[in-house]
Amino acid sequence: MMILILFIVFISGLVVFKQWKNYQSNLAYWERINQYEERRKKEILTIALKNQRLLKGN
């Protein structure tokens, strides 16, 4: 009986650990996506400002 309880606790621990690793992986993925989007917004803003300056210059 004790072995069965230990086995269930062990399996539960493995499941929780796997879910936690999956959560960390997803968190890292979304962090990279957000960094990419922020970088892209800055690039678009820079291009828009350059175009605005070029138009004002003419």
Side-chain angles (χ1 to χ4, degrees):
M1 188 65 184
M2 189 68 164
I3 293 172
L4 180 63
I5 293 171
L6 287 174
F7 181 73
I8 292 171
V9 169
F10 177 73
I11 296 297
S12 301
L14 285 178
V15 169
V16 168
F17 180 73
K18 189 168 174 61
Q19 292 291 340
W20 180 76
K21 290 290 285 181
N22 190 25
Y23 171 75
Q24 293 297 320
S25 175
N26 286 342
L27 211 56
Y29 171 77
W30 286 111
E31 187 61 35
R32 284 195 307 275
I33 295 290
N34 288 336
Q35 287 174 356
Y36 171 77
E37 288 177 349
E38 288 297 318
R39 200 165 46 239
R40 188 73 184 126
K41 286 178 191 174
K42 288 178 185 174
E43 289 172 1
I44 290 170
L45 186 59
T46 303
I47 291 168
L49 288 172
K50 285 180 183 176
N51 288 342
Q52 191 177 24
R53 286 188 203 123
L54 286 173
L55 289 173
K56 281 186 177 179
N58 290 336

